[in-house]
Amino acid sequence: MITITDLMNLSDEERAKLKKGVVKELVIGAWAPREPQIMKLLLNTLGPKKIFSHKTLLRLIDRLVGLSFYTQVATYEEMVTFINSIPDDFTIVCGPCACRKNTLTEAGNDARDFAGGRLDLCQPSPLNLDIQFGVCGDKFQSCEGYEPISKQGLLELEQQTRNMGLVSNVYLMLGGEGSICHCSSATCVPLIVYNHLNDSRAKVIKKGQYLAVTDPAACDNVGDCTRVCHFGARTLVEKDGKAQLRYEPARCYGCGLCAYVCPNEAITMMPR
């Protein structure tokens, strides 16, 4: 499968070719206006209140959908490079997140404020954080609430979403262009499903190309990293009467938020 690095290494002409295809046009054209309803259906039938009795079905859906649609987690630095690599003639639009339209009211606060020293979920994230580009941009631009956004505007948005502690990821549809999502495990439907499945082998949500590595000599087990991890890779456990970091690399998706908030700079993002 193509990765975000693959896309960044393609020429503008090669990326433009990925937009072509009658099937892609039809599928994305049908998906665009229906995405909120699809997310709502998934929540209503396999939502948190019922999910434990549907794990087998969820895994099947995850495996099947992952054959053509998936989202790959990326660090802030990767996202900056990726945004700058989007060809200038691609349509880029910003609009309402289909997940948040269905979950934000009930979930409440789903974002942090790192600049304000808040690592807890202290505020609701903005609704308009869904970025569509390429053929998806062409199709979503006619949907309600979507407006054009420049690369510079998108770069500024990335800074804002990192400060809110959201996970940035590139959603790739049918092996080509797609969207940029900014997700919280409190309101993102795929992340809600992932966390209830407790399965780090998910196909729809793909691990990023970096892994968070902790220097134990520099770590003082203060636990800031555990508070911002959306994937349950970092927790504090008690050992000999003291709090100690427990880290599960298999659950790390490489978003880089833990490294960003670590007061001792004890965490480094390394190639996976």
Side-chain angles (χ1 to χ4, degrees), residues 127-203:
L127 180 62
N128 282 7
L129 290 180
D130 184 46
I131 306 299
Q132 303 288 339
F133 58 91
V135 65
C136 289
D138 297 336
K139 299 300 181 182
F140 273 83
Q141 66 179 332
S142 61
C143 294
E144 183 179 359
Y146 281 86
E147 297 181 351
I149 186 172
S150 66
K151 284 188 182 181
Q152 183 57 40
L154 188 48
L155 290 171
E156 293 172 0
L157 183 64
E158 281 302 312
Q159 289 183 320
Q160 296 169 18
T161 56
R162 179 171 67 160
N163 180 65
M164 290 186 284
L166 302 179
V167 175
S168 293
N169 47 96
V170 179
Y171 196 87
L172 300 173
M173 302 182 71
L174 302 175
E177 307 303 335
S179 66
I180 296 173
C181 298
H182 305 94
C183 303
S184 168
S185 51
T187 49
C188 171
V189 175
L191 276 179
I192 290 172
V193 171
Y194 163 85
N195 282 324
H196 281 282
L197 273 177
N198 194 30
D199 188 351
S200 61
R201 299 167 298 172
K203 300 297 183 182

Side-chain angles (χ1 to χ4, degrees), residues 60-125:
L60 178 60
I61 293 174
D62 176 68
R63 298 313 190 257
L64 292 176
V65 174
L67 294 175
S68 298
F69 304 83
Y70 65 91
T71 185
Q72 186 174 16
V73 174
T75 65
Y76 170 76
E77 291 76 16
E78 284 182 289
M79 288 306 307
V80 169
T81 302
F82 183 80
I83 290 168
N84 285 322
S85 77
I86 298 176
D88 292 335
D89 60 346
F90 272 30
T91 302
I92 309 176
V93 295
C94 177
C97 171
C99 294
R100 283 177 177 81
K101 289 180 71 173
N102 287 295
T103 61
L104 193 55
T105 300
E106 182 177 345
N109 293 338
D110 67 338
R112 300 170 168 86
D113 179 13
F114 294 158
R118 299 290 299 272
L119 302 187
D120 58 319
L121 298 178
C122 61
Q123 62 178 333
S125 62

Side-chain angles (χ1 to χ4, degrees), residues 30-51:
W31 171 274
R34 297 173 176 83
E35 187 178 23
Q37 289 75 25
I38 294 172
M39 292 299 114
K40 184 176 182 179
L41 177 63
L42 181 59
L43 277 175
N44 288 342
T45 57
L46 302 170
K49 296 180 181 178
K50 302 178 182 179
I51 207 165

